[in-house]
Amino acid sequence: MISQSKFCIVDVLQKIIDKLRVIEYIKAEELEISVMEVHGIFEIGKIGEITINEFSKILYLDKNSVNKLVNNLVDEKFLLRHIHPENKRHVILKLTENGQKIYESIRDDFNLYFKKILGYVPEDNKEDISNDFRILLKSMEDNN
């Protein structure tokens, strides 16, 4: 059984995740692409270049689903795919100029959202929240 305080943390984290998804849904509607395509663009944009295998792991998708997603993004001219120069078995993914603009727009929307939300947090609580999230993130990283 989850204690009340643990449930509260889980509830808060789930609400945060849901709010972030809304930003991706809005962007998907705006661009007339799927939410998964928006999420894929954002993940590649954060990293710069990535192999299909790494992309699959980040998205928690099987290779067939990732290949379909990659094909859609290439067809939409958001993504470039090329063979790794030193290992011909690896395909490298990189955003096109248009894909990069979309990534920056998504990133800016996230930043604006958090800036707005943090504007409502009292100054003396911001450091506490930041420290709590660092501890939570470290715990998540250490246990994955």
Side-chain angles (χ1 to χ4, degrees), residues 24-78:
E24 289 182 337
Y25 280 108
I26 291 168
K27 191 58 70 178
E29 285 181 3
E30 176 186 311
L31 297 169
E32 298 179 353
I33 61 175
S34 75
V35 173
M36 187 52 74
E37 289 171 326
V38 169
H39 188 65
I41 290 169
F42 186 71
E43 291 299 327
I44 293 171
K46 287 190 311 187
I47 296 168
E49 286 189 353
I50 189 169
T51 66
I52 286 187
N53 289 340
E54 293 167 333
F55 193 44
S56 176
K57 288 177 186 174
I58 286 173
L59 297 179
Y60 298 99
L61 292 174
D62 62 86
K63 292 201 182 190
N64 288 335
S65 298
V66 167
N67 283 328
K68 183 177 178 184
L69 175 62
V70 166
N71 288 339
N72 289 346
L73 291 172
V74 168
D75 290 346
E76 294 285 337
K77 309 253 187 289
F78 298 139

Side-chain angles (χ1 to χ4, degrees), residues 1-142:
M1 182 169 180
I2 298 176
S3 73
Q4 186 63 28
S5 66
K6 288 181 182 175
F7 179 74
C8 182
I9 291 170
V10 170
D11 189 45
V12 167
L13 289 174
Q14 188 60 54
K15 287 178 182 177
I16 290 170
I17 291 167
D18 291 344
K19 291 293 185 184
L20 295 177
R21 282 188 189 135
V22 168
I23 293 170
E24 289 182 337
Y25 280 108
I26 291 168
K27 191 58 70 178
E29 285 181 3
E30 176 186 311
L31 297 169
E32 298 179 353
I33 61 175
S34 75
V35 173
M36 187 52 74
E37 289 171 326
V38 169
H39 188 65
I41 290 169
F42 186 71
E43 291 299 327
I44 293 171
K46 287 190 311 187
I47 296 168
E49 286 189 353
I50 189 169
T51 66
I52 286 187
N53 289 340
E54 293 167 333
F55 193 44
S56 176
K57 288 177 186 174
I58 286 173
L59 297 179
Y60 298 99
L61 292 174
D62 62 86
K63 292 201 182 190
N64 288 335
S65 298
V66 167
N67 283 328
K68 183 177 178 184
L69 175 62
V70 166
N71 288 339
N72 289 346
L73 291 172
V74 168
D75 290 346
E76 294 285 337
K77 309 253 187 289
F78 298 139
L79 190 63
L80 297 171
R81 142 179 69 197
H82 63 275
I83 304 297
H84 192 286
E86 293 155 15
N87 187 340
K88 304 295 182 200
R89 294 182 306 169
H90 288 296
V91 175
I92 302 294
L93 306 173
K94 183 178 180 177
L95 296 177
T96 62
E97 186 176 323
N98 194 28
Q100 185 65 30
K101 287 178 185 174
I102 292 169
Y103 161 71
E104 290 168 3
S105 174
I106 299 164
R107 183 200 60 208
D108 292 348
D109 288 350
F110 279 132
N111 288 340
L112 184 63
Y113 176 75
F114 281 112
K115 184 176 182 178
K116 177 182 172 187
I117 296 306
L118 289 172
Y120 291 101
V121 174
E123 284 299 319
D124 52 338
N125 293 106
K126 287 181 183 177
E127 188 64 32
D128 293 337
I129 291 171
S130 179
N131 287 334
D132 291 342
F133 271 106
R134 277 191 214 102
I135 292 166
L136 181 61
L137 182 59
K138 179 165 179 13
S139 178
M140 292 170 75
E141 289 170 347
D142 290 349

